[in-house]
Amino acid sequence: MNPTRSPRHRVAILGAGFGGMAAARSLSRLPVDVTLVDQHDYQTFQPLLYQVATAVLPAENAAHPLRSLLRGAKNVGVRRGRVERFELDDRRLRLDGGGTIEYDTLVVAAGSTYGDFGVPGVSHHAFVLQSLLGAVGIRNHVLRQFESAALDPAGADDGRLDIVIAGAGPTGVEMAGSLQELFSVLRRDHPQLADATARIVMVEPAGSVLPQYGPRARRYAERELRRRGVELRLGTGVARAEADHVELTDGTCIATRTLVWAAGVRASALGEQLGAPLGRGRRVAVTENLHLESRPEVFVIGDMADAPGPLPHPQVAQVASQMGAHVGRVLRARLSGANAPPWRYHDKGQMAVIGRGAGVVELSRRYGGLRFGGFMGWLAWLFVHLVYLPGPLNRLAALSAWLHDAFTRERAARLILERGSPELGRGSRWSDPASPVSDGSGRHNPTGEDLRRAA
Amino acid sequence: MNPTRSPRHRVAILGAGFGGMAAARSLSRLPVDVTLVDQHDYQTFQPLLYQVATAVLPAENAAHPLRSLLRGAKNVGVRRGRVERFELDDRRLRLDGGGTIEYDTLVVAAGSTYGDFGVPGVSHHAFVLQSLLGAVGIRNHVLRQFESAALDPAGADDGRLDIVIAGAGPTGVEMAGSLQELFSVLRRDHPQLADATARIVMVEPAGSVLPQYGPRARRYAERELRRRGVELRLGTGVARAEADHVELTDGTCIATRTLVWAAGVRASALGEQLGAPLGRGRRVAVTENLHLESRPEVFVIGDMADAPGPLPHPQVAQVASQMGAHVGRVLRARLSGANAPPWRYHDKGQMAVIGRGAGVVELSRRYGGLRFGGFMGWLAWLFVHLVYLPGPLNRLAALSAWLHDAFTRERAARLILERGSPELGRGSRWSDPASPVSDGSGRHNPTGEDLRRAA
């Protein structure tokens, strides 16, 4: 399983997202040895993180162990770690902790993060939906606001229950709708807060929600969100974030302790180390076969890739998966001395859910161009996400959680999951960074640090 | 919902374990106002924590929100916090953060923790199965040992894969059996470790496993554990714990980075503040109606209570639940000026699971005195725990996880759930004690601090 000792062609894949996993699967049928490097030993199913943050799903159900997903792929090894440095000329990766990986072909699929556009305070005060623990952190924080407000219902109108969501793309919309539903559960939990104000304000510089959707879907989503009590501030952005309020570009100020940042996707800062031209959002320019112009052995795929095309491709799972599969095609061709056809994006369409019983679906023209919303849109969304969510237990858990939520309006996972009383032993200290129990977390992606500096 | 403003009889319950919840339920039918205080907003289902630690269940599935459990009990309010000080003469509790709760009747049900018997190093190096995050911490730690060993299979025999479990009671036995099964999954995950030594050593000063069980059950459990590869060191205790090894009382030394402490239950240190005589294991002496001799308005129940009887009662859920229910009876009698009959423990029996397809059940005489083990014992255990596990989604999740585990020998929840790359915003910093996102954790129970000092 150690490619560096193998005589066969060695492939290193960086990142186990939709792109990296698709690449690993497509390479599992080729006579190559693959090492998949990720900071986690599991694949995070990003599309359902908002359900972890809003207490629909347990954290573990929005992810699945990589080695279980790759059990059939005997030539793929998983290496948990983060990249410290590329040594492209020597075709070598340096990992943190001193390890190295030598490769003949490198696939960089480190994905993207959120950018704060340099808006002051955002990188320090905003929450993002990017990791399992990040999602649990949002859940804990929101639940804690209600706990503290319940102790002083009179003073609960100071905005501590209000939430500002920046960005009205699918993530922002899904988060807003699901938070609104969580709020109604929490009002039942805390009768003394029945009349307290708890607003969800969605801020979007573009003139509408779901900007990348068609006019009908946009109007439907706007109507549904408003009907459910979400306050829309369209044509407005966040100007500055503080611990207890957010200032908007239109000069207004919203008292809140919870800013969810769902805007400004930015490709991983690893791209800067590849010595290739960077495009919009720090995406790396690649050829029609998804490798660097200067280094055919280095592929860049998914959110990080700026592939040739009339328009930049959307940074979504579909594109990443198709790019990952294409890497397999190109490598197969190369190994047999042939040429692969250029990569083409086959857009299947897009879908988003606004909340219980409400979704929008837009199939691409090649899939019939069908566009519909409402309850059918919701069902379609559930079905597609059940199909793509990895792990049979996760699917069962998601399906039962959705049905339970729809019929009982309960959120069973609304636990403030954090350290309780200090206990005997390390078991209780796992969340303490100083403890051995929380060491070894990795990253390929220093973006966070950039943002810390920006903060 | 704020009892201190109510003219009605005010009851404060400390702790939402089996005892506290039973008391809350029994009081929900009386004309009293109840405040249930716990450090968490959920009830932890302790009996399944070992399955969280061994990657069978997601953490959220071994707990359920208190307010959802008490939805029907309109006169019960939940207060998340920890007790700083009792003011028994003024019938007042001081909570951390300055809050106070005035009561007419107090029910102390703060449970127990593990004691280290003063064995050096234990309180610093040992893991305990006491909280959800503690269980996740054990899971992370064990998985991390295999990750690090996989990078250096040759050096993996330095004991980093070995686990020492102190205590062969039900918790220790269940942990050992389930860890052994997890190991076989992890060997499949890491083929390079197929031949590496990964021992599970169970240390028990008593002469046998499950000391509180009958001879047949003890022999069966021993045979099964050995058959499954668990190494038993009976008649031996832990003499000292270090980061990389454990010294036993028989002079031998075991190289390990993982000591699981499942011995020495010790009642909450809150008992020391009640001004009542303390019995074995720091249990508080109470009358036959479970209140302090000197203060009839202060009840002490569950693991903390030392109720009169030929023998001390076992510190188990059964006893706690029956004591909690009895508090309701006593209070009803008092409110109507009558006397309640003394509390009597109705022992139903005991059961433990050794692993897949193997359990032991011992019904008490009044329930037929039936004793059986093996597959039927396992099924009985599953059934009973499904019935008592709170939350329909939790039951479904547990049932499906057990079937999935039994048929596929997979452990779907084996994720190293810890901080990944630093991200934009606080969402990623939830586990950082310095972050607002992890503030507000409470405790009723300074025991941990005692142990820190002991460490």
Side-chain angles (χ1 to χ4, degrees), chain A residues 31 69 88 133 154 255 289 327-328 333 380 385 418 444:
Chain A
L69 291 170
L88 298 171
L133 288 193
N289 272 328
V327 169
H385 284 75
E418 62 188 2
H444 339 107

Side-chain angles (χ1 to χ4, degrees), chain A residues 39 60 67 71 80 126 133-134 139 144 147 189 410 417-419 421 424-427 430-431 437 441, chain B residues 39 67 71 80 123 126 133-134 139 144 147 189 410 417-419 421 425-427 430-431 437 441:
Chain A
Q39 62 181 318
E60 286 91 336
R67 294 187 176 83
R71 180 136 296 150
R80 185 166 166 270
L133 288 193
R139 186 181 83 200
R144 215 180 292 104
E147 290 284 346
D189 279 351
E410 267 284 4
L417 200 50
E418 62 188 2
R419 288 180 66 194
S421 51
L424 167 67
R426 292 191 302 196
W430 79 290
S431 66
V437 183
S441 75
Chain B
Q39 62 181 320
R67 293 187 177 84
R71 180 139 294 151
R80 184 163 167 272
S123 62
L133 288 193
R139 185 181 85 200
R144 214 180 293 106
E147 291 284 344
D189 278 351
E410 266 284 3
L417 200 49
E418 62 187 2
R419 288 179 69 195
S421 52
R426 293 191 302 195
W430 79 292
S431 67
V437 182
S441 74

Side-chain angles (χ1 to χ4, degrees), chain B residues 51-299:
Chain B
Q51 295 201 350
V52 174
T54 54
V56 178
L57 285 180
E60 286 90 336
N61 288 132
H64 201 65
L66 291 175
R67 293 187 177 84
S68 158
L69 291 170
L70 295 167
R71 180 139 294 151
K74 297 295 173 211
N75 64 331
V76 179
V78 173
R79 172 75 178 262
R80 184 163 167 272
R82 55 185 172 194
V83 168
E84 208 117 277
R85 190 164 79 250
F86 290 105
E87 292 172 359
L88 298 171
D89 297 331
D90 306 333
R91 299 190 174 177
R92 193 188 300 119
L93 298 176
R94 285 221 175 275
L95 303 184
D96 61 339
T100 65
I101 295 178
E102 315 227 314
Y103 62 82
D104 301 305
T105 296
L106 173 65
V107 182
V108 183
S112 59
T113 175
Y114 290 89
D116 65 357
F117 302 122
V119 177
V122 166
S123 62
H124 184 65
H125 294 296
F127 291 91
V128 290
L129 272 174
Q130 198 162 30
S131 68
L132 287 184
L133 288 193
V136 173
I138 295 176
R139 185 181 85 200
N140 287 342
H141 177 79
V142 170
L143 296 176
R144 214 180 293 106
Q145 301 314 306
F146 275 80
E147 291 284 344
S148 80
L151 296 180
D152 171 25
D157 293 349
D158 62 357
R160 84 180 70 176
L161 297 181
D162 300 343
I163 294 180
V164 174
I165 298 174
T171 304
V173 167
E174 285 165 354
M175 191 68 186
S178 194
L179 272 173
Q180 193 61 258
E181 291 162 5
L182 176 61
F183 275 18
S184 64
V185 176
L186 295 177
R187 284 182 186 279
R188 227 184 334 159
D189 278 351
H190 304 280
Q192 61 271 57
L193 296 177
D195 318 319
T197 41
R199 298 151 67 206
I200 293 171
V201 184
M202 190 142 81
V203 177
E204 169 60 56
S208 81
V209 303
L210 298 179
Q212 50 283 83
Y213 281 64
R216 262 183 61 210
R218 294 203 301 265
R219 277 196 306 275
Y220 173 74
E222 270 180 43
R223 203 170 55 242
E224 271 301 316
L225 286 168
R226 289 217 168 87
R227 198 175 64 71
R228 290 156 189 261
V230 176
E231 194 177 319
L232 300 180
R233 298 281 188 94
L234 304 175
T236 318
V238 173
R240 141 177 245 98
E242 296 289 351
D244 61 354
H245 71 275
V246 168
E247 292 165 32
L248 303 185
T249 51
D250 66 6
T252 58
C253 175
I254 302 176
T256 180
R257 298 180 185 179
T258 315
L259 169 62
V260 177
W261 195 256
V265 173
R266 207 151 171 255
S268 161
L270 277 187
E272 291 166 349
Q273 304 180 38
L274 294 173
L278 297 182
R280 199 170 111 281
R282 198 156 58 183
R283 289 157 89 170
V284 181
V286 292
T287 66
E288 59 178 15
N289 271 331
L290 309 179
H291 54 74
L292 301 182
E293 190 68 62
S294 56
R295 298 181 185 273
E297 79 278 12
V298 177
F299 292 86

Side-chain angles (χ1 to χ4, degrees), chain B residues 24-72:
Chain B
R25 288 206 174 87
S26 67
L27 293 170
S28 68
R29 293 179 297 273
L30 297 184
V32 298
D33 284 322
V34 180
T35 305
L36 175 63
V37 183
D38 195 274
Q39 62 181 320
H40 294 300
D41 62 343
Y42 53 85
Q43 180 182 19
T44 304
F45 193 68
Q46 299 265 353
L48 290 185
L49 280 182
Y50 84 91
Q51 295 201 350
V52 174
T54 54
V56 178
L57 285 180
E60 286 90 336
N61 288 132
H64 201 65
L66 291 175
R67 293 187 177 84
S68 158
L69 291 170
L70 295 167
R71 180 139 294 151

Side-chain angles (χ1 to χ4, degrees), chain A residues 1 39-42 52 56-61 63-65 67-68 71 78-80 82 113-116 122-141 143-144 147 150-151 185 188-192 243 257-259 261 263 392-394 396-397 400-401 404-405 409-433 436-449 451-452, chain B residues 1 39-42 52 56-61 63-65 67-68 71 78-80 82 113-116 122-141 143-144 147 150-151 185 188-192 243 257-259 261 263 392-394 396-397 400-401 404-405 409-433 436-449 451-452:
Chain A
M1 243 347 160
Q39 62 181 318
H40 294 301
D41 61 343
Y42 54 84
V52 174
V56 178
L57 284 181
E60 286 91 336
N61 288 133
H64 201 65
R67 294 187 176 83
S68 158
R71 180 136 296 150
V78 173
R79 171 75 177 264
R80 185 166 166 270
R82 53 186 172 192
T113 176
Y114 290 89
D116 64 358
V122 165
S123 63
H124 184 67
H125 294 295
F127 291 91
V128 290
L129 272 173
Q130 197 162 30
S131 69
L132 287 183
L133 288 193
V136 174
I138 295 176
R139 186 181 83 200
N140 286 341
H141 177 79
L143 295 177
R144 215 180 292 104
E147 290 284 346
L151 296 180
V185 176
R188 228 184 334 160
D189 279 351
H190 305 279
Q192 60 271 59
R257 298 181 185 178
T258 315
L259 170 61
W261 195 255
L393 286 178
N394 290 343
L396 183 57
S400 51
H404 182 258
D405 173 69
R409 319 249 148 175
E410 267 284 4
R411 290 284 167 99
R414 60 181 191 288
L415 317 178
I416 301 180
L417 200 50
E418 62 188 2
R419 288 180 66 194
S421 51
E423 284 161 2
L424 167 67
R426 292 191 302 196
S428 63
R429 293 190 0 232
W430 79 290
S431 66
D432 169 358
V437 183
S438 71
D439 288 346
S441 75
R443 62 166 173 280
H444 339 107
N445 182 338
T447 304
E449 293 182 335
L451 287 157
R452 289 282 162 82
Chain B
M1 249 343 163
Q39 62 181 320
H40 294 300
D41 62 343
Y42 53 85
V52 174
V56 178
L57 285 180
E60 286 90 336
N61 288 132
H64 201 65
R67 293 187 177 84
S68 158
R71 180 139 294 151
V78 173
R79 172 75 178 262
R80 184 163 167 272
R82 55 185 172 194
T113 175
Y114 290 89
D116 65 357
V122 166
S123 62
H124 184 65
H125 294 296
F127 291 91
V128 290
L129 272 174
Q130 198 162 30
S131 68
L132 287 184
L133 288 193
V136 173
I138 295 176
R139 185 181 85 200
N140 287 342
H141 177 79
L143 296 176
R144 214 180 293 106
E147 291 284 344
L151 296 180
V185 176
R188 227 184 334 159
D189 278 351
H190 304 280
Q192 61 271 57
R257 298 180 185 179
T258 315
L259 169 62
W261 195 256
L393 286 178
N394 290 343
L396 183 58
S400 51
H404 182 259
D405 174 69
R409 320 248 147 172
E410 266 284 3
R411 290 283 167 99
R414 61 180 190 289
L415 317 178
I416 300 179
L417 200 49
E418 62 187 2
R419 288 179 69 195
S421 52
E423 286 163 0
L424 168 67
R426 293 191 302 195
S428 64
R429 288 179 14 221
W430 79 292
S431 67
D432 170 358
V437 182
S438 72
D439 287 346
S441 74
R443 65 167 171 281
H444 334 110
N445 181 340
T447 304
E449 293 181 335
L451 287 157
R452 288 285 161 79

Side-chain angles (χ1 to χ4, degrees), chain A residues 144-164:
Chain A
R144 215 180 292 104
Q145 299 315 307
F146 275 80
E147 290 284 346
S148 80
L151 296 180
D152 170 25
D157 293 350
D158 62 355
R160 85 180 71 176
L161 297 181
D162 299 344
I163 294 181
V164 174

